[in-house]
Amino acid sequence: MKLNRLLQIIFGFVLLFSVSCTSDYEETIPEITYNNGFFITNEGNFQTPNADVTFVTKDLSLMQNDIYKAKNNNENLGDVLQTMTFNNDKAYLLLNSSNKITVVDRLTFKKTGEITAQLNNPRYMAVANGNLYVTNDQFGAGKFVNVYKLSDNSFVKKIDFATTSTVEGIVEAGGNIYVQNTNSFNPGTIITKINTSSNTIDSPIQVPNGTNINKIISYNNSVYAIAEGTSNSYIHQIPASGGTITTTTLTGIEKATNLQIDGGRFYFSSKNKIYSMAMNATTTPTSPLITAVDGGDYFTLYGFSVIDGRIFTVDVKGFTEASEITVYTTAGTAVSKFKAGKGANGVYKNY
């Protein structure tokens, strides 16, 4: 029996039991919650409001698709679910093409609020100092970071960047915000720090090697940036406290991207090859840990996450059908495979 079907049956049994009990005894059945598993963000098709979220239990034994619609009176979540972030008991769902951020309770997944003020092609989010920071990048036009107060979702400030710049990935490290000023359309090696005490831009940071930063992440009060070069790639550690940037050269690996850190190891990909190496290693791995499905230039490893010893890879199948998620151990052994929604692009821990 497929896992999704099994969870639907369980939910159906709970609903039936609830109706039966309330008619005779007015007994209240505890609501199913999503507090011990993983959320998978399903981007959906562009200009179609079919984005939603899949939930999978921590032991990967049960799952449910379309949980937003299921918990919010069949309401569509929106168009292009780009990313998700958390603050305390809230989850923030960024809908790129809908120009909105939907706020839900992270346990019940019921909607509690919505942010729309000053959003224009929002990309990614990070939380720091009581605020939500959101990158916005209009093609050929405005580039800015919006600041919202987490306590009431109110708009605080718009931080403008040069229109020739790019604002893409955004992370918190050491209490401040770091913005990736590069993407595949506007390559470069610059990261900008935003001082969260004043919400102003500090001096830009230039990484020493590579021609384009493909991704930034935050780990243990440092920013890590993976950059591709002509024949090698590089992982740069930028301490939030300042000081020297430390660089790991990935010799002979082209176009490295999808950087993740888990259990003291780097995980990253190059095309459909996934590599792993200790964070303090000085030798580049010569063979991949996993060879994933090759979905072509735009779709290969569209989603890739490493969480607590599990590697999640996504085959989005060209956005023509449901995404296929494969879960591996850190030794590269596949342990589970299941279907999520259209265009699954990320996995998020909720426990």
Side-chain angles (χ1 to χ4, degrees):
M1 179 181 294
K2 293 182 178 180
L3 298 177
N4 189 35
R5 177 63 178 158
L6 179 58
L7 194 55
Q8 287 173 349
I9 290 173
I10 293 173
F11 285 164
F13 172 76
V14 170
L15 177 61
L16 179 63
F17 186 61
S18 174
V19 170
S20 174
C21 290
T22 51
S23 61
D24 294 333
Y25 306 107
E26 298 298 329
E27 183 175 343
T28 300
I29 302 300
E31 187 171 17
I32 290 175
T33 57
Y34 301 104
N35 58 332
N36 193 29
F38 304 96
F39 293 125
I40 299 172
T41 46
N42 302 309
E43 187 172 310
N45 297 103
F46 180 56
Q47 295 188 329
T48 305
N50 61 348
D52 213 302
V53 176
T54 296
F55 176 77
V56 184
T57 56
K58 186 179 178 182
D59 64 2
L60 307 176
S61 64
L62 299 171
M63 65 165 289
Q64 183 188 13
N65 283 321
D66 296 333
I67 66 171
Y68 180 83
K69 186 175 288 188
K71 303 297 280 191
N72 292 280
N73 301 316
N74 214 35
E75 175 182 296
N76 287 327
L77 176 58
D79 187 359
V80 183
L81 176 55
Q82 185 83 22
T83 186
M84 170 189 283
T85 195
F86 302 99
N87 182 63
N88 297 327
D89 61 345
K90 299 292 191 304
Y92 297 76
L93 309 172
L94 186 153
L95 284 305
N96 166 261
S97 190
S98 298
N99 287 314
K100 69 177 182 180
I101 297 168
T102 297
V103 188
V104 300
D105 184 295
R106 66 189 292 175
L107 299 186
T108 66
F109 230 71
K110 290 186 176 178
K111 182 177 178 180
T112 65
E114 187 173 272
I115 297 171
T116 58
Q118 301 289 325
L119 290 175
N120 197 327
N121 199 24
R123 298 291 296 163
Y124 293 96
M125 305 176 285
V127 168
N129 198 26
N131 291 321
L132 179 69
Y133 293 79
V134 184
T135 55
N136 292 256
D137 194 313
Q138 300 171 260
F139 183 73
K143 321 287 183 183
F144 51 93
V145 172
N146 285 345
V147 187
Y148 301 89
K149 191 183 299 181
L150 287 164
S151 59
D152 60 6
N153 300 331
S154 61
F155 176 73
V156 175
K157 185 176 182 180
K158 179 181 177 183
I159 303 171
D160 284 309
F161 285 65
T163 55
T164 53
S165 179
T166 292
V167 291
E168 183 72 357
I170 184 168
V171 298
E172 179 276 339
N176 287 309
I177 288 292
Y178 295 81
V179 178
Q180 174 189 336
N181 298 123
T182 68
N183 60 24
S184 57
F185 300 105
N186 191 16
T189 54
I190 298 294
I191 295 169
T192 298
K193 176 183 176 182
I194 294 176
N195 184 321
T196 57
S197 297
S198 57
N199 284 330
T200 56
I201 294 175
D202 273 5
S203 300
I205 301 165
Q206 181 159 22
V207 299
N209 305 94
T211 55
N212 186 41
I213 297 170
N214 285 324
K215 186 180 179 68
I216 62 172
I217 63 173
S218 176
Y219 179 80
N220 201 20
N221 285 323
S222 285
V223 177
Y224 287 81
I226 191 163
E228 64 177 86
T230 305
S231 57
N232 303 325
S233 295
Y234 307 90
I235 298 173
H236 303 289
Q237 180 198 4
I238 304 158
S241 58
T244 305
I245 297 174
T246 303
T247 299
T248 300
T249 300
L250 307 175
T251 305
I253 294 183
E254 297 177 306
K255 298 183 178 180
T257 187
N258 281 328
L259 178 64
Q260 299 275 278
I261 296 175
D262 186 68
R265 299 185 69 82
F266 292 129
Y267 295 85
F268 57 90
S269 67
S270 172
K271 299 181 179 177
N272 66 328
K273 305 292 193 300
I274 298 170
Y275 296 87
S276 170
M277 61 187 291
M279 293 177 71
N280 59 359
T282 56
T283 304
T284 305
T286 55
S287 59
L289 177 68
I290 297 166
T291 299
V293 173
D294 186 351
D297 288 343
Y298 299 106
F299 300 131
T300 298
L301 288 170
Y302 201 80
F304 174 68
S305 303
V306 184
I307 303 172
D308 291 345
R310 292 191 177 100
I311 301 170
F312 297 80
T313 67
V314 179
D315 175 10
V316 292
K317 298 185 178 298
F319 282 72
T320 60
E321 58 182 281
S323 303
E324 185 172 78
I325 314 294
T326 304
V327 187
Y328 299 86
T329 68
T330 52
T333 302
V335 293
S336 183
K337 183 176 288 188
F338 54 89
K339 297 282 189 179
K342 287 276 188 70
N345 59 16
V347 180
Y348 300 83
K349 168 181 173 178
N350 195 38
Y351 55 85

